[in-house]
Amino acid sequence: MGKDKFLANFPLNINIPSLVKENPSLKGAQEKIRKLEKLIQPHIFWQELKINSINEDKVNLALNQEKWTIESVYLSLGLKNCTHVTLLALTIGEGLPNYSQECLKKGLFYEASIADILGSHAVEMLADKFGNYLAQNYLSKGLYPSLRFSPGYGDFELDNQAKISASLNTKDSIKVTDNYLLEPVKSITALIGWSSIPKEKTYPTGEAKKGFCQGGQNCAFCKTWACRK
């Protein structure tokens, strides 16, 4: 526990018909997607950390020889009954984002959109598939996963991306800007908890500006909609 791990070229095998069905705007772009798929270069970094304690609004982790305290009601609720976490950072690389930006500069907006949609789908698929891979390994130990918790949701502050990146030494593959955004843009940082008790597959709930949701900052991008549940 605590040792950094790295994996490159994790297989994705994107189901193009399913992707097109979910995104009707991609109809007729199947051949283009097959070519763009070659630009995806997955890199995954992860580390196992012990949870020292979970309070009402804090999660205390053992990070190497240090202690890392994350002040977050959202995370405290989500990691309830967990004994340790997997610290995770992953990316599909610069290929697709750079291609999309070049298309925008040339006014090729549809091609840029194809690359952007494919990139968003691929990085989420990468996170889900790797999460399932970890879950299969931990199941033999009698441990069950929490949902995936990323900085920027609820009151799990976005600046934690810098801490995760530094802890996993991702700087050659994933960088964090001064505004705590990730480069390449199709990248994810997250925590996954592990518990001997099966976890509910629902995100913590609360009210905007009360408890763990600050409201207003990430609403347009939030997939949990925790404040509305």
Side-chain angles (χ1 to χ4, degrees):
M1 186 174 295
K3 185 178 180 181
D4 293 350
K5 300 176 184 178
F6 169 73
L7 180 64
N9 300 318
F10 188 80
L12 279 183
N13 302 319
I14 291 174
N15 186 324
I16 296 178
S18 178
L19 174 60
V20 173
K21 185 177 181 179
E22 294 175 10
N23 299 272
S25 63
L26 297 180
K27 187 176 181 180
Q30 287 89 334
E31 189 58 37
K32 185 66 177 179
I33 294 171
R34 289 189 184 92
K35 292 179 180 178
L36 291 178
E37 192 177 1
K38 298 176 182 178
L39 297 177
I40 298 173
Q41 297 181 318
H43 286 73
I44 304 171
F45 302 80
W46 76 102
Q47 182 183 36
E48 299 170 4
L49 303 180
K50 179 183 176 182
I51 297 177
N52 286 334
S53 63
I54 300 177
N55 303 327
E56 184 177 321
D57 58 354
K58 293 182 180 68
V59 177
N60 299 296
L61 303 175
L63 180 59
N64 299 323
Q65 302 302 316
E66 304 175 2
K67 293 181 180 179
W68 178 18
T69 297
I70 304 175
E71 296 186 1
S72 170
V73 178
Y74 183 61
L75 201 59
S76 297
L77 290 171
L79 296 179
K80 185 179 179 180
N81 297 321
C82 291
T83 56
H84 63 287
V85 299
T86 295
L87 197 63
L88 176 66
L90 55 83
T91 183
I92 61 166
E94 298 178 337
L96 273 179
N98 287 348
Y99 176 85
S100 182
Q101 287 299 313
E102 287 300 315
C103 286
L104 287 175
K105 291 177 183 178
K106 297 175 183 178
L108 302 173
F109 301 114
Y110 179 60
E111 293 214 356
S113 176
I114 294 173
D116 185 66
I117 293 172
L118 176 60
S120 296
H121 176 81
V123 73
E124 287 292 336
M125 182 178 177
L126 180 62
D128 289 342
K129 289 192 70 173
F130 186 69
N132 290 336
Y133 164 79
L134 290 176
Q136 290 175 4
N137 289 338
Y138 278 107
L139 186 59
S140 63
K141 303 175 184 179
L143 295 174
Y144 302 89
S146 72
L147 291 172
R148 192 175 75 232
F149 296 94
S150 289
Y153 294 94
D155 64 349
F156 186 16
E157 297 292 346
L158 194 63
D159 59 9
N160 284 287
Q161 300 215 104
K163 185 74 171 181
I164 294 174
S165 175
S167 299
L168 296 175
N169 192 27
T170 70
K171 61 182 180 180
D172 291 336
S173 298
I174 306 172
K175 296 179 174 63
V176 183
T177 70
D178 292 340
N179 294 323
Y180 304 113
L181 301 179
L182 300 178
E183 293 180 343
V185 294
K186 303 304 182 184
S187 304
I188 288 174
T189 61
L191 296 179
I192 300 174
W194 302 98
S195 169
S196 59
I197 303 172
K199 300 285 292 178
E200 291 185 13
K201 297 303 181 181
T202 56
Y203 284 98
T205 59
E207 297 181 40
K209 299 185 179 179
K210 291 182 181 179
F212 57 75
C213 181
Q214 301 304 310
Q217 299 175 3
N218 304 301
C219 294
F221 305 98
C222 181
K223 293 182 179 179
T224 67
W225 295 108
C227 65
R228 296 187 178 183
K229 294 179 180 177

